[in-house]
Amino acid sequence: MTGSAKPPLVHAARAHQLALDYGTPIHIYDEKSIRERARALNAAFAWNHGFREYFAVKATPNPAILSILAQEGCGCDCATATELMLADACGITGDALMLSSNDTPAEDYWLARDLGAIINFDADDMLGFWEEHVGAFPERVCCRVNPGGDFQVANAIIGTPEDSKFGMTVDQLKTSFAYLRNRGVREFGIHAFLASNTLGNDYYPQLAHRLFELVRDLTAELGVRITFVDLSGGVGVAYEPGQEEPDIAQIGEGVRRAYEEVLVPAGIELDIYAELGRWLLGPAGALLTRVIHHKVTYHDYLGVDACAANFMRPAIYDAYHHVTSLDHEGEPLEGCYSVVGGLCENNDQFARDRALPKTDTGDLLLIHDTGAHGHSMGYNYNGKLRSAEVLLCEDGTDRLIRRAERVDDYLATLDVTPEGRALLADTKRKR
Ligand SMILES: *Cc1c(COP(=O)(O)O)cnc(C)c1O
């Protein structure tokens, strides 16, 4: 295997220019691939006239990214008031907003109501909560179902809904729909998210099949008008070099077949919604970081200037993320390195004993597929600051879309005296 088994978003020359202009570490995003992925998704579901992708804002909550997606026809799936505000600030509002929240505080519902977002209720008890704190229901409402058990595709368990905190049982869904119908709701949606980061092309089609059957049965049983099915997130990314990318065209075709099989004979027409985050943005982003130390003990460590505070998936999920040693791309993999950050936590390792070309202090590394659930999961442990985000624009230029955090940002919520603050800033400047 060579270092180019997964092509990097940028090569050495461009990476060094970016490092010079913006410093390291930085999260970079490629506008062209974001647009291409959004277009491929829309094309895959073009057979369904009402299809809409509601991008899961939590994956990459940056206005520049949300605006690109909005231009490609995507709405936003939000879980909190803050995410709703971000989307609203980008002009994404009304039925282009979905609130797929859980354990929701009243304030979040107030904002969602004011913005005209579609409300996706996670639990039957939220209906009474809404009436108590918000008032009458909108005319169109969605409920999130969790059928329990395992979710199997070709005899393999790919998800365990039964152990997931999300959604309501099928019985609760029925009672909720009847309750909502009796209170004036006229249009219904069903949402489910039963497996995460799925590879292969069967997850959406099988989920759709199950949900379409549910739609057919509930329509007959309750006489409600179900106008959309929200397949939510869960389509995966081929993080590892040998893995095959899900084929979105085939996935769309599989959902179409389920639609033809179940809904067409029942005379039901509805819109398909998706809330993909990972699939849409994951491969369109990468984390650029520089090797600042090289240490050999029982393992060979490349210490980089990024850490789990910039990107936590390897630390918390033990997730594989491909690494390219940009200054040595294409050279034989003669090194075996653990790529680590500076947190006082041993899980702060982006790669363990990874075969890479010989690499040393000063070299640039690219950590792949960090475009979704990357910067957004960042945190401030050890007082580490979150990095900048840079957009590689379609016209060949690049643009800062989020500045790096400064010590002042970290201190903003603390009761530090002006003198203390000045002292800290001063200490930081002295070298
Ligand atoms: C996280 C999330 C998504 C996006 O999931 P991906 O795995 O990134 O596609 C979509 N919908 C909801 C409700 C979520 O919580």
Side-chain angles (χ1 to χ4, degrees):
M1 190 173 69
T2 68
S4 59
K6 266 176 84 79
L9 274 191
V10 289
H11 299 282
R14 180 89 190 266
H16 278 281
Q17 190 58 50
L18 291 168
L20 205 63
D21 292 344
Y22 303 104
T24 50
I26 45 171
H27 277 273
I28 58 175
Y29 304 92
D30 185 49
E31 179 180 2
K32 185 161 175 282
S33 54
I34 295 171
R35 290 190 187 277
E36 281 171 0
R37 298 181 80 81
R39 285 171 198 175
L41 173 62
N42 285 329
F45 286 90
W47 57 267
N48 183 260
H49 296 304
F51 175 77
R52 187 176 229 166
E53 153 74 0
Y54 290 84
F55 176 66
V57 171
K58 70 167 191 256
T60 325
N62 188 302
I65 306 284
L66 302 183
S67 299
I68 291 171
L69 291 172
Q71 286 170 8
E72 298 298 335
C74 303
C76 282
D77 160 41
C78 304
T80 61
T82 318
E83 290 182 352
L84 285 169
M85 286 175 211
L86 259 187
D88 182 47
C90 299
I92 302 161
T93 190
D95 67 2
L97 290 177
M98 177 81 63
L99 183 73
S100 287
S101 58
N102 68 99
D103 193 18
T104 314
E107 304 83 69
D108 294 14
Y109 278 149
W110 294 334
L111 182 61
R113 174 204 53 197
D114 293 348
L115 295 177
I118 303 172
I119 311 296
N120 181 14
F121 286 107
D122 177 72
D124 56 351
D125 90 292
M126 296 313 276
L127 304 183
F129 183 86
W130 175 280
E131 286 184 299
E132 186 184 335
H133 295 275
V134 187
F137 292 107
E139 283 201 354
R140 178 163 66 152
V141 163
C142 185
C143 287
R144 179 169 185 164
V145 68
N146 177 339
D150 292 326
F151 193 91
Q152 298 196 7
V153 166
N155 292 325
I157 296 175
I158 62 165
T160 46
E162 188 160 316
D163 294 329
S164 146
K165 69 167 180 170
F166 302 108
M168 52 183 87
T169 67
V170 172
D171 279 345
Q172 290 168 341
L173 180 76
K174 279 186 201 168
T175 5
S176 296
F177 273 18
Y179 184 89
L180 290 163
R181 180 199 56 198
N182 295 342
R183 274 157 190 78
V185 173
R186 293 144 73 107
E187 286 185 39
F188 293 83
I190 299 183
H191 167 286
F193 190 166
L194 305 184
S196 189
N197 192 24
T198 60
L199 293 176
N201 302 321
D202 292 334
Y203 169 62
Y204 257 18
Q206 300 231 359
L207 174 67
H209 206 279
R210 275 173 86 158
L211 295 181
F212 293 160
E213 287 178 341
L214 192 55
V215 167
R216 184 192 59 200
D217 297 348
L218 290 184
T219 305
E221 205 174 311
L222 301 171
V224 290
R225 211 170 131 239
I226 300 169
T227 56
F228 69 90
V229 160
D230 185 343
L231 299 174
S232 192
V235 178
V237 161
Y239 289 112
E240 299 187 31
Q243 292 174 330
E244 207 167 312
E245 285 282 354
D247 180 337
I248 205 69
Q250 275 198 40
I251 291 172
E253 175 58 18
V255 175
R256 190 190 66 75
R257 274 200 301 270
Y259 192 100
E260 297 282 329
E261 261 173 58
V262 184
L263 292 182
V264 171
I268 297 172
E269 276 182 35
L270 50 71
D271 298 337
I272 310 287
Y273 297 160
E275 300 174 343
L276 295 176
R278 185 189 311 274
W279 181 84
L280 196 50
L281 251 294
L287 175 58
L288 180 65
T289 183
R290 193 183 295 278
V291 179
I292 55 172
H293 296 290
H294 187 181
K295 152 177 170 172
V296 183
T297 53
Y298 313 104
H299 299 262
D300 195 338
Y301 294 103
L302 296 175
V304 295
D305 56 8
C307 67
N310 304 113
F311 180 58
M312 65 152 53
R313 297 192 73 256
I316 63 165
Y317 305 131
D318 202 19
Y320 179 97
H321 278 264
H322 201 60
V323 176
T324 297
S325 182
L326 291 171
D327 296 290
H328 305 282
E329 219 190 315
E331 293 175 19
L333 308 182
E334 286 168 351
C336 178
Y337 301 108
S338 290
V339 178
V340 304
L343 289 183
C344 302
E345 272 286 340
N346 195 39
N347 66 3
D348 183 16
Q349 311 209 12
F350 292 115
R352 293 175 191 253
D353 301 323
R354 183 76 58 87
L356 287 171
K358 288 281 186 197
T359 299
D360 217 330
T361 308
D363 290 341
L364 289 176
L365 299 184
L366 195 73
I367 301 173
H368 293 228
D369 302 319
T370 62
H373 313 297
H375 187 284
S376 63
M377 291 178 86
Y379 54 110
N380 283 127
Y381 198 48
N382 269 162
K384 290 281 190 183
L385 304 175
R386 274 165 289 206
S387 76
E389 295 183 294
V390 171
L391 183 68
L392 310 180
C393 306
E394 231 179 352
D395 65 4
T397 60
D398 38 70
R399 173 160 80 86
L400 188 68
I401 56 172
R402 184 196 300 266
R403 69 160 170 83
E405 283 181 337
R406 300 188 280 256
V407 176
D408 262 359
D409 299 316
Y410 182 84
L411 298 177
T413 53
L414 298 173
D415 194 7
V416 182
T417 61
E419 297 75 22
R421 206 173 280 243
L423 195 67
L424 276 163
D426 202 41
T427 323
K428 173 112 175 121
R429 245 178 276 121
K430 280 189 196 131
R431 288 171 198 268

mmCIF file of all heavy atoms in Angstrom, residues 53-57 66 74-78 83 87 92 96-99:
data_model
loop_
_atom_site.group_PDB
_atom_site.id
_atom_site.type_symbol
_atom_site.label_atom_id
_atom_site.label_comp_id
_atom_site.label_asym_id
_atom_site.label_seq_id
_atom_site.Cartn_x
_atom_site.Cartn_y
_atom_site.Cartn_z
ATOM 1 N N GLU A 53 -32.727 17.683 1.476
ATOM 2 C CA GLU A 53 -31.711 17.379 2.480
ATOM 3 C C GLU A 53 -31.717 18.498 3.506
ATOM 4 O O GLU A 53 -31.586 19.678 3.163
ATOM 5 C CB GLU A 53 -30.327 17.260 1.813
ATOM 6 C CG GLU A 53 -29.128 17.581 2.707
ATOM 7 C CD GLU A 53 -28.778 16.517 3.765
ATOM 8 O OE1 GLU A 53 -29.463 15.478 3.848
ATOM 9 O OE2 GLU A 53 -27.814 16.766 4.519
ATOM 10 N N TYR A 54 -31.904 18.132 4.771
ATOM 11 C CA TYR A 54 -31.738 19.060 5.888
ATOM 12 C C TYR A 54 -30.386 18.722 6.513
ATOM 13 O O TYR A 54 -30.277 17.757 7.262
ATOM 14 C CB TYR A 54 -32.849 18.879 6.921
ATOM 15 C CG TYR A 54 -34.208 19.354 6.454
ATOM 16 C CD1 TYR A 54 -35.036 18.534 5.696
ATOM 17 C CD2 TYR A 54 -34.664 20.630 6.779
ATOM 18 C CE1 TYR A 54 -36.281 18.983 5.266
ATOM 19 C CE2 TYR A 54 -35.907 21.077 6.355
ATOM 20 C CZ TYR A 54 -36.704 20.254 5.603
ATOM 21 O OH TYR A 54 -37.940 20.694 5.182
ATOM 22 N N PHE A 55 -29.377 19.497 6.163
ATOM 23 C CA PHE A 55 -28.028 19.204 6.644
ATOM 24 C C PHE A 55 -27.985 19.271 8.178
ATOM 25 O O PHE A 55 -28.457 20.232 8.782
ATOM 26 C CB PHE A 55 -27.032 20.197 6.054
ATOM 27 C CG PHE A 55 -25.630 20.026 6.584
ATOM 28 C CD1 PHE A 55 -24.913 18.877 6.309
ATOM 29 C CD2 PHE A 55 -25.043 21.011 7.381
ATOM 30 C CE1 PHE A 55 -23.621 18.703 6.811
ATOM 31 C CE2 PHE A 55 -23.758 20.841 7.879
ATOM 32 C CZ PHE A 55 -23.051 19.691 7.592
ATOM 33 N N ALA A 56 -27.404 18.238 8.786
ATOM 34 C CA ALA A 56 -27.284 18.193 10.247
ATOM 35 C C ALA A 56 -26.234 19.215 10.689
ATOM 36 O O ALA A 56 -25.033 18.976 10.603
ATOM 37 C CB ALA A 56 -26.893 16.786 10.702
ATOM 38 N N VAL A 57 -26.721 20.355 11.175
ATOM 39 C CA VAL A 57 -25.848 21.490 11.487
ATOM 40 C C VAL A 57 -24.729 21.108 12.451
ATOM 41 O O VAL A 57 -23.606 21.591 12.342
ATOM 42 C CB VAL A 57 -26.681 22.668 12.062
ATOM 43 C CG1 VAL A 57 -25.787 23.772 12.599
ATOM 44 C CG2 VAL A 57 -27.594 23.213 10.979
ATOM 45 N N LEU A 66 -22.973 26.322 5.655
ATOM 46 C CA LEU A 66 -24.436 26.243 5.583
ATOM 47 C C LEU A 66 -24.943 27.020 4.373
ATOM 48 O O LEU A 66 -25.899 26.601 3.708
ATOM 49 C CB LEU A 66 -25.079 26.789 6.871
ATOM 50 C CG LEU A 66 -24.673 26.097 8.181
ATOM 51 C CD1 LEU A 66 -25.446 26.687 9.354
ATOM 52 C CD2 LEU A 66 -24.876 24.588 8.117
ATOM 53 N N CYS A 74 -30.232 22.800 0.084
ATOM 54 C CA CYS A 74 -30.374 22.101 1.367
ATOM 55 C C CYS A 74 -30.953 23.025 2.433
ATOM 56 O O CYS A 74 -30.665 24.221 2.460
ATOM 57 C CB CYS A 74 -29.018 21.594 1.863
ATOM 58 S SG CYS A 74 -28.176 20.516 0.709
ATOM 59 N N GLY A 75 -31.720 22.458 3.327
ATOM 60 C CA GLY A 75 -32.140 23.138 4.544
ATOM 61 C C GLY A 75 -31.227 22.729 5.683
ATOM 62 O O GLY A 75 -30.142 22.178 5.452
ATOM 63 N N CYS A 76 -31.652 23.010 6.906
ATOM 64 C CA CYS A 76 -30.840 22.674 8.080
ATOM 65 C C CYS A 76 -31.636 21.857 9.081
ATOM 66 O O CYS A 76 -32.777 22.195 9.403
ATOM 67 C CB CYS A 76 -30.359 23.945 8.769
ATOM 68 S SG CYS A 76 -28.983 24.720 7.928
ATOM 69 N N ASP A 77 -30.992 20.822 9.586
ATOM 70 C CA ASP A 77 -31.529 20.061 10.713
ATOM 71 C C ASP A 77 -30.811 20.544 11.970
ATOM 72 O O ASP A 77 -29.586 20.455 12.057
ATOM 73 C CB ASP A 77 -31.288 18.564 10.480
ATOM 74 C CG ASP A 77 -31.349 17.758 11.759
ATOM 75 O OD1 ASP A 77 -32.237 18.037 12.579
ATOM 76 O OD2 ASP A 77 -30.505 16.857 11.939
ATOM 77 N N CYS A 78 -31.580 21.082 12.912
ATOM 78 C CA CYS A 78 -31.000 21.652 14.133
ATOM 79 C C CYS A 78 -31.472 20.869 15.342
ATOM 80 O O CYS A 78 -32.536 20.255 15.332
ATOM 81 C CB CYS A 78 -31.441 23.100 14.290
ATOM 82 S SG CYS A 78 -31.022 24.121 12.855
ATOM 83 N N GLU A 83 -28.209 26.364 17.186
ATOM 84 C CA GLU A 83 -28.109 25.899 15.802
ATOM 85 C C GLU A 83 -29.187 26.546 14.937
ATOM 86 O O GLU A 83 -28.941 26.893 13.777
ATOM 87 C CB GLU A 83 -28.203 24.368 15.750
ATOM 88 C CG GLU A 83 -26.961 23.686 16.335
ATOM 89 C CD GLU A 83 -26.997 22.155 16.260
ATOM 90 O OE1 GLU A 83 -28.043 21.586 15.889
ATOM 91 O OE2 GLU A 83 -25.967 21.529 16.584
ATOM 92 N N ALA A 87 -28.510 28.911 11.535
ATOM 93 C CA ALA A 87 -29.165 28.685 10.248
ATOM 94 C C ALA A 87 -29.941 29.936 9.841
ATOM 95 O O ALA A 87 -29.856 30.392 8.693
ATOM 96 C CB ALA A 87 -30.093 27.474 10.337
ATOM 97 N N ILE A 92 -31.630 30.767 6.265
ATOM 98 C CA ILE A 92 -32.316 29.472 6.162
ATOM 99 C C ILE A 92 -33.396 29.457 7.241
ATOM 100 O O ILE A 92 -33.064 29.475 8.435
ATOM 101 C CB ILE A 92 -31.316 28.313 6.355
ATOM 102 C CG1 ILE A 92 -30.207 28.416 5.314
ATOM 103 C CG2 ILE A 92 -32.024 26.965 6.286
ATOM 104 C CD1 ILE A 92 -28.952 27.649 5.669
ATOM 105 N N ALA A 96 -37.495 25.304 5.725
ATOM 106 C CA ALA A 96 -36.138 24.823 5.431
ATOM 107 C C ALA A 96 -35.406 24.465 6.723
ATOM 108 O O ALA A 96 -34.245 24.068 6.698
ATOM 109 C CB ALA A 96 -35.351 25.870 4.654
ATOM 110 N N LEU A 97 -36.113 24.635 7.848
ATOM 111 C CA LEU A 97 -35.533 24.268 9.147
ATOM 112 C C LEU A 97 -36.294 23.088 9.730
ATOM 113 O O LEU A 97 -37.517 23.062 9.714
ATOM 114 C CB LEU A 97 -35.659 25.433 10.138
ATOM 115 C CG LEU A 97 -34.821 26.675 9.910
ATOM 116 C CD1 LEU A 97 -35.164 27.726 10.957
ATOM 117 C CD2 LEU A 97 -33.338 26.329 9.981
ATOM 118 N N MET A 98 -35.534 22.144 10.251
ATOM 119 C CA MET A 98 -36.116 21.005 10.967
ATOM 120 C C MET A 98 -35.526 21.040 12.366
ATOM 121 O O MET A 98 -34.308 21.176 12.519
ATOM 122 C CB MET A 98 -35.701 19.711 10.255
ATOM 123 C CG MET A 98 -36.153 18.428 10.910
ATOM 124 S SD MET A 98 -37.852 18.003 10.544
ATOM 125 C CE MET A 98 -37.784 17.777 8.771
ATOM 126 N N LEU A 99 -36.369 20.959 13.380
ATOM 127 C CA LEU A 99 -35.831 20.835 14.743
ATOM 128 C C LEU A 99 -35.955 19.374 15.161
ATOM 129 O O LEU A 99 -37.010 18.930 15.594
ATOM 130 C CB LEU A 99 -36.574 21.744 15.736
ATOM 131 C CG LEU A 99 -35.994 21.685 17.161
ATOM 132 C CD1 LEU A 99 -34.653 22.421 17.244
ATOM 133 C CD2 LEU A 99 -36.960 22.242 18.201
#
